[in-house]
Amino acid sequence: MMAANAFGEYLKRRRIALGRTLRAFCQEQGFDHGNYSRMERGVLAPPHKEEKLAEYAGALGIARGSDEWIEFCDLASVARGEIPKDLVSDEAILGRLPVLFQTLRDSGADSDKLDELVEKIRRS
C-alpha cells in the first residue's frame, strides 16, 4: 500500500501546487473525481495505459521526457507492482536485476542499509 500512497501523494502535491481543489481540478480536466480521489488516496492503482498517464501528467504540468515525467512514470509502475518498462526492455539491466533483488533481500531491508546501497549505486 505504501507504493500506491507514494504515487497518490505525488498526484495530490502536484494538484495542490496548481492551487486546485480536487473537484475543480477534475471538472476542468474532465476526470472522474471519484477515481482521481481513489488514486490520490492510494486505493486505486494508476492506469497501465501510457496515454492515460500522459493525460494526468499533462493536467499536472508534467512534460513528457522531463525528469518529473520519469519520476511520475516510475511511481506509477511501482504503485502497480511493476518494474518500469524502459528498464525491463534493457537486456543489460534486466540481466542484473536478480542480483539487485538478492542484494536487497540480503541487506535486511533496513532503512539505513537501503540508503547506503542507493548511495553506492549512485556513486558507481
Side-chain angles (χ1 to χ4, degrees), residues 23-105:
R23 284 192 181 269
F25 177 76
C26 289
Q27 186 174 16
E28 291 166 3
Q29 301 300 325
F31 299 151
D32 178 276
H33 71 276
N35 285 338
Y36 199 87
S37 172
R38 283 188 277 284
M39 276 195 301
E40 281 191 356
R41 290 180 286 127
V43 176
L44 179 66
H48 284 82
K49 292 186 178 183
E50 189 173 326
E51 301 81 32
K52 191 63 177 177
L53 276 177
E55 188 178 342
Y56 289 138
L60 294 167
I62 300 169
R64 243 183 225 262
S66 67
D67 289 343
E68 291 85 8
W69 169 259
I70 294 168
E71 180 180 12
F72 180 78
C73 291
D74 286 350
L75 287 168
S77 292
V78 171
R80 292 189 306 263
E82 300 171 353
I83 297 170
K85 290 177 185 174
D86 61 320
L87 298 180
V88 172
S89 64
D90 185 318
E91 289 294 324
I93 291 173
L94 192 61
R96 289 176 176 86
L97 285 178
V99 174
L100 176 62
F101 297 154
Q102 189 60 48
T103 302
L104 290 170
R105 284 185 192 97

Side-chain angles (χ1 to χ4, degrees), residues 6 8-18 71 75:
E9 288 170 12
Y10 184 84
L11 285 180
K12 187 174 184 176
R13 271 195 319 274
R14 295 292 299 224
R15 175 184 54 77
I16 290 171
L18 294 172
E71 180 180 12
L75 287 168

